[in-house]
Amino acid sequence: MGLNRRTAMKAGLLTTAMSALGLNSAHSQGTSSPPPITVQGEAAARTNIPVVRDRRASGGSYLALNTKKKPPKEGWYATYAIRAPEAGVYALTAVATAPVETPHTEATASYLQLALNDGQFVEIARSQPYWYESKPAWGDLSVLDLGELELRRGENTLTFRVTEPTVLETGTAYALALDRFTLRRREGVELREVHAGGDDTLSTYRYGEPASLTLGLNGRPDRPHRVRYTVVDYFGERAAEGHATIAAGETTVKIPLPQLPPGNYRVAASGAAAGDAGAVVGHFACLPALPAPSGDANRFGVNVWATSLVPPSRLNAFAAAMRDMGAGWTRAGQAWPAAEPTPGAYDTEHHDRITRTMRHHGLSPLEVMSPAPEWAMTAASLPLPADLRHAYRYARRLASGRPAAVQLSNEPDVDVTSSTGDALAAFVKAAALGVADTPDHPLVVLPGIAQAGHFQDLLLANDVVRYADVWAFHGYPDPAEQDEPAFPGAADEQRELAERLGAGEVPRWMTECGAFFAVRPGVDLTPAQQAVQARYLVRSTVEGLAAGNARQFWFAGPPLHDDGVYFGLLSREFQPLPAYSACAALTSLLGEAHFVGPVSGLPAGAVGFEFDSGRGESVRVLWSSKPVRVPVPGATVHDIMGRQTATASVEVTVSRDPVYVVTATAGRPEAHPAPHHRPSLSPAEHIVLSQRYAARNSAPNKDNGDAEPPLGYRLSRRTRMSLDVYNFTSTSRTVTVKARPAGGWSARAEGPTWVEVPPQGRTTLDFTITAGSGVKRRTDHRLEFTATLDGDEVPPSVSLVQLK
């Protein structure tokens, strides 16, 4: 998403924080600056974007692009004539729609490209935090910081262009609203760019490769510009320092870096020229020489949500950075309403391209099904489709896009709807069958459950595990734990639950794991927070694998600021934070990560877990709440960043920063247990039962998972309801249904209890549910419907009902 610095500079468009480099955007102005230049969006010299009248716009009108039509060769554009009173660097702001959701609006626009004078177009590829923190203007428009331009004195042309679609509520479209933009003169030139590694990377390179540090200005200086830089490692030790000179008329200088050990490095650079406003800080990562395993042996994943969080021009470099960090899997999803704006009319190319990019870089995509489109829902079904055949067809479409796995919803237990575990179970069965009926189908992953409890218990009571290849859940520490968060007990809870249900052999994936770090707008995590994040990533991953997780996905990879909390492994400038480097070290050293067992005999306060790397090595990961000495005779020791600290050590100091103790072992490790393969589903398992109630009988709101029972459908003494019987086979099927109410309830069918269901069809049976005189109000009772097909049992539909 916006990577080529050299092209941007040739164009005269300075790559500030919108680039892949570490940059600042807010600086003071000199007192002698000329007045700002403000241009109305509708005042373009040339444009093919419509103009719309609106009294809220500063000039009474604004540019308004919203079309599904493919852009012409020149793109959707608007070119403006700008007369600059003097040459120099100008800060560009605009009242326009942002390309990501902000706290004041969910409306989004396409990512903008800019071209100055005869220069090439460059995408404004800033990270989500920059857009998210934009101030509201009017309607869905925000005040956007678009970086800086170097204007010549007199006439200039500035072109805004859109060539990429964005995801709207009802589909993908090319979208932009532009009310006005303003250019404000900066005094002098200032240091903006700090980058290491190749120009096409996110400031990363692998140990042993030659590397250089690039420092850049936001404009061309009249005289040589002297810059001082300091490079420190994760532990605060100085790794390099010096001065460099950027020649007059140039914008960058490259300084060769010394051979540095694997780790994360922080660069502080400042210029000596008048007007230069303090140090610019950047990060780069020297990755371990040995990459992580690939393919099925890789246990590590990362949440990316690239459609929302990664600008298109950064996508290739971002995917490469996640692969180089050691992730084998990425987790993301496309919006179902955008992918299927009308029944059967699919628009998935925008997201399919992301899937292809991840595949190209050796990553296995996990696709998450989103809530259904509005056209598919009713007030009683929200957020699920009222007709489960839509779920079946859409899941089949998703699977055809070649993800490695499809997850059948995200945290349904903590949303703000009244959907119930039985309704979700019917949806899961229908969607799983859609995936399974795709040639070379991907893995079926159960919904990512936020927390064990009533909702998940009811979901599992509906016998959904037989439809899945993977059991999934999430786990986060207490948000109040900002210092040293403790790994939650979710992994152990889910293991025990699976074993209790006889599903212990089904692989368990923690599809979200991360920590909450409070930040102020406009800044990254502090160095202290960065260290806590790095430690937590290592410890939580190790403890999750030790608890039996087959795979674990960190939340999140890209820069991500949400409601005062920061999650990403990359900085606001798309540069690697220490946790990124810690992940690279972990995945490199643990290898295939066969868990052996806890390390015994450690001093008080110390914790350790032993793994077999799959390379004939024992790897012990050790940490301690306070520094202690641990004997490690004959071992090789690596620190949290992957740097080898000693060979054939006798003792190592263990502290809050985990260390890796590597010892050669005799022979090869035990092979991975055979992967879980769900057997082919029978015709009876292709029959899905789904209870349906009127909206007036809906269950109480889940209140983000905090609501206490009773949570069942709220029924009167006598209530009519329906049972939908779906047949997801290719032939007509005769199904016999039976109701099994409990707790003093009774059920009477309004007609025959056997039905003929056409292929890929649905037939509905009506029932009257009656509460006996002894049924207490506001108490949950189980209502089960079973069925048989040719003597075979159909998986049941199990709900909870209460007398309201």
Side-chain angles (χ1 to χ4, degrees), residues 308-388:
S308 302
L309 301 177
V310 184
S313 61
R314 291 192 189 272
L315 185 59
N316 265 297
F318 173 80
M322 295 299 100
R323 175 204 63 206
D324 292 344
M325 182 185 73
W329 288 73
T330 57
R331 179 174 182 261
Q334 63 181 322
W336 184 354
E340 191 180 7
T342 57
Y346 296 105
D347 179 12
T348 63
E349 174 54 31
H350 183 60
H351 188 77
D352 290 346
R353 184 174 59 181
I354 293 173
T355 301
R356 290 194 298 269
T357 301
M358 298 301 166
R359 285 283 198 184
H360 174 74
H361 287 279
L363 297 161
S364 297
L366 168 59
E367 177 75 37
V368 184
M369 286 188 71
S370 81
E374 185 174 345
W375 58 258
M377 296 186 292
T378 65
S381 74
L382 183 79
L384 304 172
D387 187 335
L388 296 181

Side-chain angles (χ1 to χ4, degrees), residues 123 376 411:
E123 185 178 81
E411 297 192 351

Side-chain angles (χ1 to χ4, degrees), residues 196-234:
D199 291 342
D200 58 347
T201 72
L202 302 186
S203 269
T204 65
Y205 66 96
R206 201 163 288 283
Y207 177 72
E209 296 176 353
S212 58
L213 181 66
T214 300
L215 304 176
L217 301 173
N218 64 350
R220 292 180 290 272
D222 296 331
R223 58 181 63 87
H225 192 102
R226 188 170 171 81
V227 180
R228 174 174 175 77
Y229 65 91
T230 304
V231 179
V232 297
D233 66 12
Y234 170 79

Side-chain angles (χ1 to χ4, degrees), residues 454-648:
H454 309 292
F455 188 96
Q456 187 185 19
D457 290 343
L458 187 56
L459 171 70
L460 295 171
N462 280 266
D463 205 2
V464 294
V465 177
R466 70 168 71 193
Y467 289 85
D469 300 295
V470 177
W471 179 300
F473 64 98
H474 298 166
Y476 289 90
D478 185 340
E481 295 179 356
Q482 291 285 302
D483 185 14
E484 295 294 333
F487 185 61
D492 288 327
E493 290 174 356
Q494 294 293 323
R495 183 191 68 243
E496 293 166 2
L497 180 58
E499 290 174 349
R500 189 163 65 247
L501 293 178
E505 79 287 356
V506 180
R508 293 181 302 282
W509 293 6
M510 193 177 222
T511 51
E512 284 188 25
C513 172
F516 304 87
F517 293 103
V519 294
R520 292 180 293 106
V523 297
D524 277 325
L525 300 176
T526 66
Q529 287 176 310
Q530 292 171 20
V532 173
Q533 185 192 42
R535 290 194 288 266
Y536 183 77
L537 183 143
V538 174
R539 297 194 312 228
S540 63
T541 303
V542 166
E543 291 191 63
L545 295 175
N549 294 345
R551 285 195 172 88
Q552 196 150 321
F553 292 71
W554 179 264
F555 189 90
L560 176 56
H561 181 194
D562 183 25
D563 196 20
V565 177
Y566 197 89
F567 292 99
L569 297 177
L570 302 176
S571 74
R572 297 162 58 88
E573 318 304 340
F574 276 96
Q575 294 186 330
L577 294 174
Y580 174 95
S581 298
C583 186
L586 171 80
T587 58
S588 171
L589 289 164
L590 285 193
E592 295 182 8
H594 305 268
F595 179 57
V596 176
V599 178
S600 59
L602 295 174
V607 177
F609 299 89
E610 183 180 359
F611 295 85
D612 197 308
S613 69
R615 299 185 292 255
E617 298 167 328
S618 164
V619 183
R620 287 171 286 166
V621 190
L622 311 175
W623 63 85
S624 177
S625 57
K626 59 182 180 180
V628 295
R629 298 290 291 175
V630 176
V632 290
T636 299
V637 178
H638 298 257
D639 64 26
I640 185 175
M641 294 287 112
R643 177 182 60 178
Q644 185 173 314
T645 59
T647 304

Side-chain angles (χ1 to χ4, degrees), residues 369-452:
M369 286 188 71
S370 81
E374 185 174 345
W375 58 258
M377 296 186 292
T378 65
S381 74
L382 183 79
L384 304 172
D387 187 335
L388 296 181
R389 289 172 291 186
H390 294 308
Y392 173 91
R393 293 165 188 149
Y394 179 63
R396 189 170 59 186
R397 174 72 182 204
L398 275 186
S400 70
R402 295 194 64 247
V406 176
Q407 188 166 31
L408 303 180
S409 74
N410 180 62
E411 297 192 351
D413 53 324
V414 294
D415 63 27
V416 292
T417 72
S418 299
S419 64
T420 58
D422 65 286
L424 181 72
F427 168 84
V428 165
K429 293 171 186 177
L433 289 167
V435 174
D437 287 350
T438 306
D440 302 320
H441 63 82
L443 298 173
V444 173
V445 183
L446 287 178
I449 293 295
Q451 58 194 42

